[in-house]
Amino acid sequence: QVQLVESGGGLVQPGGSLRLSCAASGFSFSTTIMSWYRQVPGKERELVAAMASVGPSTNYADSVKGRFTISRDNAKKMVYLQMNSLKPDDTAVYYCHAWVDGDRWGQGIQVTVSS
């Protein structure tokens, strides 16, 4: 079955960095667009970054452009989100996402940016 497992979250000070990882299994990873979303209580889940299955095509939310970088390793079936210059507004639960016969989500991982 489809599985997406996030890791790498935690508490970081403003201006710091974190790298999220998502381990994927149970589907054709190399042909699937992979994305990261985030959600804070009381708000809708929002797209943070997405990466095409082939080529360097990426898409970022305006709020993270220039600070976050999505990447993937098709051989390892991993997708990453490097987050730099973190701000308190980046505090959220981050989700790995794939469209495989519908929306597929990881369990989510907390990122807290606070001094």
Side-chain angles (χ1 to χ4, degrees), residues 13-70:
Q13 292 186 342
S17 298
L18 279 177
R19 187 196 196 205
L20 303 184
S21 300
C22 172
S25 61
F27 62 98
S28 179
F29 180 84
S30 63
T31 62
T32 302
I33 295 172
M34 297 300 299
S35 304
W36 287 95
Y37 284 73
R38 67 187 181 187
Q39 189 170 25
V40 298
K43 292 188 176 181
E44 291 188 359
R45 198 168 293 187
E46 64 170 353
L47 176 67
V48 175
M51 189 167 190
S53 55
V54 294
S57 179
T58 56
N59 184 40
Y60 294 95
D62 287 344
S63 59
V64 307
K65 283 181 181 177
R67 300 188 298 120
F68 290 13
T69 303
I70 188 172

Side-chain angles (χ1 to χ4, degrees), residues 56-97:
S57 179
T58 56
N59 184 40
Y60 294 95
D62 287 344
S63 59
V64 307
K65 283 181 181 177
R67 300 188 298 120
F68 290 13
T69 303
I70 188 172
S71 61
R72 62 191 293 162
D73 185 330
N74 286 343
K76 294 182 178 179
K77 299 184 179 181
M78 296 288 294
V79 60
Y80 307 98
L81 186 68
Q82 178 66 44
M83 306 184 293
N84 299 328
S85 301
L86 282 160
K87 304 175 181 179
D89 284 349
D90 296 317
T91 295
V93 177
Y94 284 71
Y95 296 89
C96 182
H97 173 272

